[in-house]
C-alpha cells in the first residue's frame, strides 16, 4: 500500500530519529519527530515561566503555541511563534525536564491531536513513545526500537564528543535510565510496546543495518 503510516517507538537514545529520517527519505515520506514537539512545549514553558507541572497553565500556554517544522539542511528547523528553537530544545535542561511536561494530561491531549492531524493523509514516518499505542493505533507498520542502556549511553557519548562536549558516561547512563523510568511509569499513554509492533534490538547493529531491517519489515507489509 502507498501512503502508509509508520510508527517507530522506543526508549530514549535508541536511534529512533536517525533511523526514522532515513526510512522516510527512502520512501519519500514525511518524517515527524514527536519528541521535538514535547521538547518545544518544555522550552516554551521554561521561557514563559510556566510551572512545568501545572496542567491548567500549560493548557492555556498552548492556546498561543504555533509550532512549525521547516525543512532545512542538514536538519529541519523547529519554530515556535516564529522563534527558531532547533538548538535549544536539545539542551540538558530541556532533556532532563521534558518527561515532567509530557506527563501532563492537557499537553498529551493537545500534542496527540496535532500529531493525528499531521499523519492524517499518510505517507508518514512518526517517531516517539506512544505512536503505535495511542496516536496512530491503526498504523500499517509499527516498530519498537530498543538497545541496551550502556549502548545508548555510548552512542550519546560519541555524539557529544563530536560536538566538542565533554560528558561523563556514567552520568549519561543515569539520565537515560531516569527518563525511561518516568516515560514508562506515567499515567497517560506510557512508553510500552504495542501488541502488534515488531521488536528491533539495535544493540549490535549499525544504522544502515537497522534501516535495512525496517525497510524489509515495511516491504513485507506491501
Ligand atoms: O524522542 P525524544 O527523546 O526527543 O523525546 C523527548 C521526550 O518527549 C521523551 O522523554 C518523552 O517524555 C516525551 N515524548 C512523549 N511521547 C512521544 C514522544 C516523546 O511523551 N510520543
Amino acid at each position: 500500500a502507498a501512503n502508509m503510516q509508520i510508527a517507530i517507538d522506543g526508549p530514549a537514545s535508541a536511534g529512533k530519529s536517525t533511523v526514522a529520517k532515513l526510512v522516510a527519505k527512502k520512501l519519500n515520506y514525511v518524517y515527524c519527530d514527536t519528541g521535538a514537539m514535547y521538547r518545544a512545549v518544555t522550552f516554551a514553558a521554561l521561557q514563559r515561566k510556566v510551572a512545568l507541572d501545572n496542567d491548567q497553565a500549560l493548557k492555556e500556554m498552548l492556546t498561543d503555541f504555533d509550532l512549525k517544522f521547516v525543512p532545512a539542511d542538514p536538519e529541519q528547523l523547529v519554530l515556535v511563534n516564529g522563534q527558531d528553537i532547533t538548538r535549544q530544545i536539545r539542551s540538558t535542561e530541556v532533556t532532563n525536564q521534558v518527561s515532567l511536561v509530557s506527563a501532563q494530561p492537557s499537553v498529551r491531549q493537545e500534542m496527540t491531536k496535532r500529531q493525528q492531524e499531521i499523519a492524517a493523509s499518510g505517507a508518514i514516518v512518526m517517531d516517539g513513545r506512544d505512536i503505535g499505542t495511542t496516536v496512530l493505533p491503526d498504523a500499517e507498520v509499527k516498530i519498537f526500537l530498543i538497545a541496551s542502556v550502556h549502548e545508548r549511553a555510548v552512542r550519546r557519548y560519541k555524539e557529544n564528543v563530536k560536538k566538542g562536549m565533554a560528558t561523563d558516561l556514567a552520568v549519561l547512563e543515569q539520565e537515560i535510565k531516569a527518563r525511561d523510568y518516568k516515560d514508562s511509569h506515567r499515567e497517560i499513554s506510557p512508553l510500552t510496546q504495542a501488541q502488534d509492533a515488531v521488536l528491533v534490538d539495535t544493540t549490535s547493529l549499525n544504522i544502515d543495518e537497522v534501516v535495512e531491517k525496517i525497510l524489509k519489515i515495511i516491504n513485507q507489509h506491501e
Side-chain angles (χ1 to χ4, degrees):
N3 297 340
M4 290 185 285
Q5 293 175 333
I6 297 168
I8 303 184
D9 291 297
S13 301
K16 297 184 299 293
S17 68
T18 305
V19 164
K21 251 181 247 169
L22 290 168
V23 169
K25 199 171 177 189
K26 259 268 153 64
L27 300 173
N28 212 4
Y29 277 18
V30 169
Y31 164 61
C32 177
D33 177 355
T34 65
M37 298 172 74
Y38 289 100
R39 288 170 180 274
V41 175
T42 304
F43 179 79
L46 289 166
Q47 192 176 42
R48 299 185 206 178
K49 304 207 181 337
V50 173
L52 304 186
D53 61 351
N54 187 335
D55 186 55
Q56 194 51 44
L58 288 163
K59 183 176 182 162
E60 209 151 291
M61 184 188 89
L62 291 177
T63 62
D64 177 27
F65 185 79
D66 174 38
L67 173 66
K68 277 200 188 78
F69 291 113
V70 179
D73 234 12
E75 213 194 349
Q76 62 183 10
L77 304 178
V78 180
L79 303 189
V80 168
N81 294 351
Q83 184 192 3
D84 179 356
I85 59 167
T86 314
R87 229 165 17 89
Q88 290 93 315
I89 63 169
R90 304 291 160 193
S91 71
T92 306
E93 189 187 16
V94 169
T95 302
N96 288 341
Q97 302 197 77
V98 60
S99 299
L100 179 59
V101 174
S102 74
Q104 305 306 317
S106 59
V107 174
R108 295 220 72 78
Q109 193 182 10
E110 177 65 22
M111 291 304 114
T112 300
K113 190 184 101 195
R114 294 192 192 195
Q115 288 153 15
Q116 288 170 339
E117 283 166 9
I118 292 169
S121 45
I124 188 146
V125 181
M126 190 169 263
D127 80 352
R129 301 293 186 290
D130 63 339
I131 310 307
T133 55
T134 304
V135 179
L136 306 176
D138 299 326
E140 281 86 352
V141 178
K142 298 180 186 180
I143 306 288
F144 199 73
L145 210 62
I146 60 163
S148 71
V149 173
H150 180 71
E151 172 65 22
R152 290 185 278 137
V154 168
R155 289 177 189 167
R156 197 33 52 93
Y157 180 84
K158 286 181 181 161
E159 276 177 26
N160 287 350
V161 168
K162 254 193 225 159
K163 291 185 207 155
M165 273 163 65
T167 38
D168 184 332
L169 188 60
V171 171
L172 286 178
E173 281 196 25
Q174 278 318 312
E175 286 174 353
I176 287 172
K177 269 194 209 161
R179 192 143 64 95
D180 286 351
Y181 185 88
K182 287 181 224 158
D183 290 340
S184 319
H185 288 82
R186 67 175 175 234
E187 207 155 314
I188 308 169
S189 46
L191 168 67
T192 182
Q193 183 179 348
Q195 239 176 3
D196 50 351
V198 181
L199 183 70
V200 176
D201 186 340
T202 74
T203 305
S204 60
L205 301 177
N206 65 34
I207 293 167
D208 289 344
E209 290 168 329
V210 177
V211 170
E212 199 162 308
K213 209 166 192 172
I214 292 176
L215 288 172
K216 254 192 206 143
I217 294 166
I218 293 169
N219 278 331
Q220 279 165 8
H221 187 272
E222 283 174 316

